[in-house]
Amino acid sequence: ARQIEVLKGPATLLYGNSAVGGVVNVSDSRLVSEVTTGWSGAAELSAGSIADESQTAVDLNYGAGNHQWHIDLTQTRSDDYRIPGNSRVDGMGNNKRLRNSATELRNGAVAYNHVDVDGNSAGIALSSYENSYGLPNEETAFIDMKQERIDTQVILRNPSQRFESMKIRAGAARYDHTEFEAPGIAGTVFKNDEYQARVEAVHKAIGGFRGVAGLQLSLRDFAAIGDEAYVPNVKTRQAGLFVVEERDTILGRTELGARIDRVEHKPEDTATPSRQFTPVSLSLGTVYPIGSDTHVKAALTH
């Protein structure tokens, strides 16, 4: 992670209509808007004794001219956890070990970004994630999940006289999640193919207000396969419009936010009716400084 932001109040409406408690936004080195000349990065190797765990991680970046390249790899594994007693209340479990709690994870990505002299940038990232972990409440059952993603980003600086910047992001992900009863014996399989696109524009001050407005679109195709599957296969379409504005007032920096979405769930089974929703979200907040490094923040969200 290059940066971790904790957002509260109206700014959460940029990302969705259900984040009343806040949003944690993590920025990494995959899609960036600047070139870091030469080689940079980090490597990590760690080990632990509680589950004989180990982790290896590498993050490498290379920049030259208008080009920025990136690659990252992570691999972790752990055996069953050591515990200070028996793993079952009936005393029949494996003493000092939590059986079937082992994990194994592999994650990696490659990315390329092009940045011109005016600060405009375009990038693409391909990533893969695999995670396998046991279920301690079962003897041999475990979860095997995989995800493959492609993400793109375009940032335009001063695209017009009224806007400071415009960001366009689009991505697609294919996710598979299999519940194994035992090695080689697959139970329920969950599949989730999702496509998202969003555009947000930061406008210059109008009447003292400066803010961002945007549009977010998504399509999700979800399926559960197996004898124990109890949720229907369903396609979900969602479109959202949002705006967040801020202005300095006597009460501090006042923030206003609004968002309206249109959500449709369409089951594959024609006997199950479709459902549509139109959630509307509003938020008002203020940030009042009471010192050089201290402030009070209050927000009301509906």
Side-chain angles (χ1 to χ4, degrees), residues 61-93:
N61 306 280
Y62 178 74
N66 301 120
H67 311 286
Q68 182 75 26
W69 298 88
H70 167 84
I71 183 171
D72 63 75
L73 299 168
T74 302
Q75 181 168 333
T76 67
R77 63 167 305 278
S78 66
D79 293 331
D80 291 344
Y81 277 88
R82 288 186 173 89
I83 55 177
N86 201 291
S87 61
R88 286 172 50 167
V89 294
D90 60 9
M92 302 300 293

Side-chain angles (χ1 to χ4, degrees), residues 96 147 165 186 244:
K96 304 299 184 181
Q147 184 189 66
S165 65
V244 176

